[in-house]
Amino acid sequence: MHVQIALFDGFDPLDAVAPYEVLYAGGMATDGAVSVELASAQGPREVVSGTGGLVLRATAALDPGRADMILVPGASGRVGEPGEVPDEEAAAGAGEWQRDAFVPVLLGRTLTTGLPALLQQAMDDPDVTVAAVCGGSLVLAMAGLLEGRHATTHHMGLDLLDATGAHAVRARVVDDGDLITGAGVTSGLDLGLYLLERAAGPRVAHAVEELFAYERRGTVWRAEGTVPGTL
């Protein structure tokens, strides 16, 4: 399984690095059966995150034709109250966006790049799985790609996710077949371990858990089984 993690300007480093490290360790544990790389819609380049100007290098062009999975991280920036979030024009003149832009603005700016078309291509390909962490689900949703699908995101974005026509689920990881999403911040570790279990089995995932001294949290939610009554 080859995974590309899609970096964009303002991305959240933890959303990208946590699953990257899990999947990279899984590759070592499987003699290369799992591989992972950082990519961008613009090709190889330095990509500035939204966390203090931290830079990661995308070493490849995002390409659904050569990836078995594409994973989209969220953005890192100011949160603020709903009334405080500026429009795109105001935000553009507010200074260095990498340090002071609001998260919804950073996520929205991805829609002006080549990323949505590549994600659409991936979603249309039954051989490609799309995953997202935190606000990465909102990138997909704002691009019109999650209508009718079950997904999760950071708890502060669940209402927005639901408003796009997705079925927002308050869970750590949601498995909707060829769409797998994780909630906020550290859930990238849980998502990565679950993806590793799906690709290589529970023994490999457990070995990486032991290596990282981390145990997966929460129940992976699927639209299966008995619908619970009121608790």
Side-chain angles (χ1 to χ4, degrees):
M1 177 180 75
H2 182 59
V3 183
Q4 287 192 322
I5 297 178
L7 301 185
F8 55 86
D9 294 326
F11 74 94
D12 187 303
L14 187 58
D15 289 353
V17 172
Y20 181 94
E21 288 219 36
V22 168
L23 294 166
Y24 184 81
M28 291 192 297
T30 59
D31 294 325
V34 176
S35 58
V36 59
E37 65 184 348
L38 301 177
S40 85
Q42 296 79 20
R45 67 183 180 102
E46 304 290 319
V47 187
V48 183
S49 78
T51 303
L54 178 67
V55 175
L56 292 181
R57 177 165 179 77
T59 58
L62 191 65
D63 183 1
R66 59 180 291 265
D68 301 298
M69 177 180 294
I70 288 176
L71 189 151
V72 187
S76 177
R78 296 177 63 189
V79 179
E81 298 298 324
E84 294 179 339
V85 177
D87 61 26
E88 180 71 18
E89 183 177 353
E96 294 185 38
W97 61 264
Q98 293 94 333
R99 287 198 281 268
D100 62 14
F102 285 80
V103 168
V105 172
L106 294 174
L107 296 175
R109 285 178 180 171
T110 64
L111 303 182
T112 66
T113 71
L115 182 59
L118 292 167
L119 295 176
Q120 176 76 70
Q121 182 182 340
M123 296 285 286
D124 289 343
D125 189 337
D127 295 325
V128 178
T129 298
V130 175
V133 184
C134 199
S137 300
L138 295 175
V139 170
L140 292 163
M142 290 189 295
L145 301 178
L146 292 192
E147 186 170 356
R149 302 298 299 267
H150 294 93
T152 192
T153 188
H154 190 283
H155 64 88
M156 295 181 70
L158 286 169
D159 288 344
L160 176 57
L161 181 62
D162 202 57
T164 66
H167 299 301
V169 181
R170 190 177 292 272
R172 189 82 170 167
V173 176
V174 172
D175 183 340
D176 197 42
D178 59 358
L179 172 70
I180 307 170
T181 53
V185 196
T186 58
S187 65
L189 287 167
D190 304 280
L191 177 68
L193 286 163
Y194 180 64
L195 296 176
L196 190 56
E197 180 181 337
R198 285 205 357 165
R203 288 188 288 186
V204 170
H206 182 260
V208 174
E209 278 188 341
E210 285 195 311
L211 177 66
F212 284 14
Y214 177 84
E215 294 181 358
R216 264 166 51 191
R217 294 174 52 197
T219 300
V220 176
W221 188 96
R222 303 180 190 85
E224 300 173 359
T226 302
V227 177
T230 302
L231 300 178

